[in-house]
Amino acid sequence: MQNRNKQNIKVIDVSHHNGTIDWAKVASDGVKGAYIKLTEGTTFLDKKSYDNYIGAKNAGLRVGFYHFAHADNDPIAEVNFFLNKLGSMKVDLPHCLDLEENKGKTKAQVTAFAVGWMEYIERKTSITPILYTGYSFIKSNFTSAVARYPLWIARYSGSNRSKGFANPGDTAIWDKWSMFQYTDQGKVNGIKGNVDINEMDLDFFNSINTGVTVVENNKPSAQLQPGDSGLAIKEL
């Protein structure tokens, strides 16, 4: 696959693990986009997702959400949960399926889950999703059935994780990455501790870029609904 390029777009991905973020400082550090964890499985809503959304949007960043998948679930149920929690929040980046655990499933089963998830969300939203996964996970868990979806690949370089590989290496399924997570130990102003840093391929960015819509500080109604349970309800 292609090498990293200085013209590519700097994107971070965050979750509640990154604590409270000063998004104005993040934007001033050359970051142009942020993927925010929204959901996991069919029950978990990230408690920082909405605050991160408001902060990143109003700092001028392109914003997208990712869903951490459990391959032993029904992919349709996972998509419906993700979209329910997304509500009226406005995205600038494609929805992301984060699939990095096979949950004991076979390659055919993991692939079927991924294709089912991505096909369904594409039908529901008219947005082609992106697939996030690790380099070593691809060979053992995916077939070429996922090839039509853009790849967000993660691979680090051991003791030199802060700089990362020049490229993640080759795969039998994709010959190009759309985004490359080259470190999980990055440093960005406005975030305490380490943060995942990615390069988004410039051509891919240009193909999806529609600009940023600044949003009002009103919590989307779909964040919590009658019948919901779990951490968010306990906190409320």
Side-chain angles (χ1 to χ4, degrees):
M1 289 189 281
Q2 80 271 27
N3 287 335
R4 294 170 59 192
N5 189 312
K6 291 182 179 179
Q7 292 184 314
N8 287 338
I9 307 302
K10 186 177 181 180
V11 178
I12 62 172
D13 56 276
V14 299
S15 71
H16 64 280
H17 294 295
N18 297 103
T20 299
I21 297 173
D22 186 330
W23 285 101
K25 289 183 178 179
V26 170
S28 71
D29 202 13
V31 176
K32 301 300 183 184
Y35 264 97
I36 297 166
K37 183 175 183 178
L38 180 62
T39 50
E40 179 175 337
T42 58
T43 59
F44 180 81
L45 171 67
D46 191 288
K47 63 184 179 181
K48 285 288 189 179
S49 59
Y50 179 72
D51 289 343
N52 284 333
Y53 165 73
I54 290 293
K57 271 281 193 178
N58 292 336
L61 274 64
R62 274 68 174 166
V63 173
F65 289 100
Y66 71 91
H67 170 82
F68 190 94
H70 294 190
D72 52 352
N73 282 337
D74 173 12
I76 304 303
E78 289 210 354
V79 170
N80 286 335
F81 178 65
F82 173 82
L83 292 177
N84 175 266
K85 298 309 177 187
L86 180 68
S88 59
M89 292 190 288
K90 299 176 177 65
V91 298
D92 315 294
L93 303 173
H95 303 311
C96 173
L97 170 63
D98 178 347
L99 187 49
E100 51 190 289
E101 296 179 357
N102 63 25
K103 296 293 185 178
K105 299 298 183 179
T106 66
K107 177 187 285 192
Q109 290 171 325
V110 173
T111 298
F113 175 93
V115 171
W117 197 101
M118 292 187 290
E119 285 184 346
Y120 183 62
I121 202 168
E122 189 169 18
R123 288 199 304 271
K124 295 283 285 185
T125 66
S126 299
I127 298 171
T128 300
I130 189 169
L131 172 63
Y132 169 91
T133 196
Y135 177 82
S136 61
F137 191 81
I138 293 173
K139 184 176 181 180
S140 300
N141 293 282
F142 292 121
T143 72
S144 60
V146 297
R148 83 174 188 87
Y149 293 99
L151 172 65
W152 175 4
I153 189 168
R155 194 180 190 190
Y156 317 135
S157 61
S159 60
N160 195 25
R161 294 159 81 95
S162 63
K163 294 182 179 180
F165 289 102
N167 65 69
D170 295 325
T171 78
I173 299 176
W174 291 275
D175 58 10
K176 186 178 180 66
W177 48 266
S178 297
M179 195 149 70
F180 176 20
Q181 185 184 90
Y182 58 86
T183 183
D184 61 349
Q185 296 183 2
K187 302 295 182 184
V188 170
N189 290 341
I191 299 178
K192 295 179 181 178
N194 296 327
V195 64
D196 298 339
I197 302 183
N198 312 267
E199 278 192 22
M200 180 177 284
D201 181 78
L202 180 62
D203 290 339
F204 180 72
F205 175 79
N206 287 336
S207 74
I208 63 171
N209 181 33
T210 57
V212 175
T213 302
V214 176
V215 294
E216 297 294 332
N217 193 21
N218 294 321
K219 182 154 290 196
S221 59
Q223 280 280 304
L224 292 175
Q225 294 187 348
D228 281 353
S229 61
L231 179 62
I233 294 295
K234 291 179 181 178
E235 289 180 338
L236 180 64

